[in-house]
Amino acid sequence: MSTFIVEGGHRLDGEITPQGAKNEALQILCATLLTPDKVTVENIPDILDINNLISMLCEMGVKVEKISPNTYSFQASNINLDYITTPEYIKKSASLRGSVMFVGPMVARFGYAVLPKPGGDKIGRRRLDTHFIGINKLGAEFEYNTEQHAYEIRANELRGTYMLLDEASVTGTANIIMAAILAKGTTTIYNAACEPYIQQLCRMLCRMGAKIEGIGSNLLTIHGVESLHGTTHRILPDMIEIGSFIGMAAMTGSHITLKNVSYNDLGIMPDSFKRIGIELQVKGDDIVIPQHDGYEIDTFMDGSIMTFADAPWPGLSPDLLSVFLVVATQARGSVLIHQKMFESRLFFVDKLIDMGAQIILCDPHRAAVIGSGRLNSLRATNMVSPDIRAGIAMLIAAMSARGTSHIHNIDQIDRGYENIDKRLNAIGANIMRVSN
């Protein structure tokens, strides 16, 4: 377990380029299993979760070539189906939640997949019902193997059908799309997630020969094809990292430029930051955050307290609420943060309270933040990162605090942010990484 030692109070100044989107990369890399041809993927983030997934693909028999630091080619022409029944595979798959998206392409192409109960962030229950029900409707059968502690999924033939998803799950939608691509006939998915990352997956599959209608909407129509061929795909910038850097700049009173952010794919996020009082200047495809000596939270039109809540796209991503919460602690005004999706994601606020933040944790899903501007500057403390998003919020808090903070278990942060300490130190931060 490693630790960040963060000396607060340093202003940042310079340019920073967001990494490739982690959530898109997980989908895209799993989709390379759908064809025996070579698929080249650009702008892959160099982070722990992605590197672990690439390692698993290698062990499954995928030929992986690193072309440049963030570009790889994948060729799944000789998959070892025996490997996915081994204890080693089951253990690795269980520790990486993104591996759940192996199921769709494996069942579609090979008629067989194995799925242990996935791991990942300790942020509460994350149901897989949407995945199971959708793929089951296409004709796959799920059987729990008590010896392996894993599900075995089999399908002699997948057939297209109509389905109304019980929730607009991003990974569930991606898994079902990948299963339906090679199914016989037409599949209609209503209440599909329509995030930019799902749009990216659909566009890549169409370049590979898939036939998908309704891309960008919540109603997808997929006409099954016999096979897919290779392609080249470039991953979007990570909007969660972009939001993290915006919040970081405001909290530390810094002037930074975010390069090549794909602004049109950021949805409601920029306007949400403006409602918390943060000025953003858009220059081409860059975002400039000028130095803020202070910022004030907006109210609703009737004067009532502002609320930020997560919602399916184009609503605000739940992954950003931790950042909004910590940024609000140094604003003027009050705000309610409502984390609807995960019941444990706000439990890190006790550390912010220790740092001097004025926060009332109403229940597992809601926190009221009373901001008094910089009159109550945060003070340094020792923290342990429970998950990726809480970890980055803790880092933002530590960078703005008086004194030196220690953040333990930063492997959680490394799962989602590429060389975050080196990139921030290059523009003025003072973060030391210590291996314990």
Side-chain angles (χ1 to χ4, degrees):
M1 184 184 298
S2 298
T3 296
F4 278 154
I5 301 175
V6 185
E7 184 177 276
H10 292 273
R11 288 189 171 181
L12 312 180
D13 188 15
E15 297 180 349
I16 193 164
T17 301
Q19 68 185 27
K22 170 193 171 181
N23 291 339
E24 179 186 343
L26 291 170
Q27 299 173 23
I28 296 300
L29 297 189
C30 292
T32 64
L33 292 167
L34 283 164
T35 177
D37 294 349
K38 183 179 290 186
V39 177
T40 300
V41 185
E42 302 171 348
N43 202 30
I44 296 176
D46 183 12
I47 57 177
L48 192 59
D49 277 4
I50 298 300
N51 293 335
N52 286 342
L53 191 72
I54 292 173
S55 176
M56 289 184 67
L57 287 169
C58 290
E59 290 162 0
M60 291 168 68
V62 179
K63 298 175 184 175
V64 179
E65 180 184 356
K66 188 173 184 178
I67 299 171
S68 68
N70 297 100
T71 300
Y72 290 75
S73 68
F74 303 86
Q75 188 166 8
S77 55
N78 189 24
I79 296 299
N80 180 6
L81 290 179
D82 291 334
Y83 173 71
I84 68 173
T85 64
T86 63
E88 180 185 8
Y89 172 83
I90 290 170
K91 181 180 178 180
K92 290 184 177 181
S93 181
S95 67
L96 179 61
R97 187 167 186 85
S99 65
V100 68
M101 287 181 288
F102 284 155
V103 173
M106 290 294 290
V107 172
R109 187 169 162 215
F110 302 105
Y112 183 70
V114 175
L115 176 67
K117 183 179 179 180
D121 288 338
K122 295 179 180 178
I123 54 177
R125 293 184 308 108
R126 304 173 81 173
R127 295 188 301 110
L128 295 177
D129 299 56
T130 304
H131 303 248
F132 282 28
I133 294 170
I135 295 173
N136 177 255
K137 285 185 175 181
L138 291 170
E141 296 293 333
F142 288 74
E143 182 180 352
Y144 188 72
N145 186 316
T146 55
E147 292 182 2
Q148 292 181 322
H149 301 290
Y151 287 94
E152 291 184 282
I153 305 100
R154 292 183 172 85
N156 293 327
E157 183 179 72
L158 297 180
R159 289 193 170 275
T161 187
Y162 169 86
M163 63 183 77
L164 172 62
L165 303 188
D166 62 334
E167 63 172 339
S169 164
V170 177
T171 55
T173 299
N175 226 349
I176 294 166
I177 289 170
M178 290 187 283
I181 289 299
L182 299 180
K184 301 290 184 183
T186 298
T187 300
T188 302
I189 309 172
Y190 197 22
N191 195 31
C194 50
E195 272 78 355
Y197 306 145
I198 290 289
Q199 298 175 38
Q200 285 279 95
L201 173 66
C202 289
R203 293 188 185 107
M204 182 185 102
L205 292 172
C206 286
R207 290 195 302 274
M208 295 169 70
K211 298 178 181 179
I212 306 174
E213 300 169 7
I215 297 173
S217 75
N218 70 344
L219 179 61
L220 295 175
T221 303
I222 302 169
H223 303 285
V225 296
E226 289 292 328
S227 62
L228 298 176
H229 52 74
T231 190
T232 297
H233 178 80
R234 183 170 181 82
I235 291 171
L236 287 175
D238 194 310
M239 72 170 71
I240 309 304
E241 187 172 78
I242 292 167
S244 301
F245 289 146
I246 292 172
M248 194 176 291
M251 281 280 282
T252 57
S254 302
H255 179 281
I256 66 172
T257 299
L258 304 180
K259 301 292 292 182
N260 304 320
V261 299
S262 191
Y263 188 84
N264 291 336
D265 291 305
L266 297 180
I268 198 174
M269 186 252 284
D271 286 338
S272 297
F273 274 112
K274 291 175 184 177
R275 301 210 75 172
I276 212 169
I278 299 174
E279 181 184 351
L280 306 178
Q281 300 168 359
V282 182
K283 295 185 177 180
D285 204 27
D286 302 340
I287 293 178
V288 178
I289 303 98
Q291 180 178 319
H292 286 73
D293 292 324
Y295 46 97
E296 184 171 355
I297 301 169
D298 199 0
T299 62
F300 288 115
M301 292 182 65
D302 62 358
S304 56
I305 293 174
M306 178 61 58
T307 297
F308 289 107
D310 55 333
W313 181 268
L316 195 61
S317 169
D319 288 343
L320 277 170
L321 286 189
S322 299
V323 174
F324 274 80
L325 190 151
V326 73
V327 172
T329 66
Q330 298 301 287
R332 293 186 300 274
S334 300
V335 65
L336 179 69
I337 302 295
H338 190 177
Q339 168 61 264
K340 299 176 182 177
M341 189 171 294
F342 304 116
E343 63 264 29
S344 305
R345 211 169 221 179
L346 296 181
F347 286 172
F348 76 99
V349 301
D350 61 331
K351 288 301 179 184
L352 298 181
I353 294 171
D354 288 345
M355 298 176 79
Q358 302 293 301
I359 305 173
I360 301 170
L361 185 60
C362 308
D363 55 46
H365 293 276
R366 296 177 301 162
V369 185
I370 299 93
S372 55
R374 302 196 187 278
L375 293 177
N376 288 320
S377 297
L378 300 181
R379 54 183 178 267
T381 190
N382 292 327
M383 298 172 273
V384 178
S385 173
D387 64 75
I388 301 172
R389 305 311 173 188
I392 199 67
M394 289 176 171
L395 180 59
I396 294 170
M399 290 173 65
S400 71
R402 301 190 309 271
T404 300
S405 298
H406 292 69
I407 306 175
H408 305 287
N409 194 29
I410 61 169
D411 291 349
Q412 288 284 357
I413 302 175
D414 290 337
R415 289 177 49 219
Y417 293 85
E418 179 179 333
N419 298 319
I420 189 70
D421 49 333
K422 294 179 181 178
R423 295 160 70 203
L424 293 175
N425 285 342
I427 57 173
N430 191 333
I431 305 170
M432 182 184 300
R433 179 186 292 264
V434 178
S435 297
N436 300 332

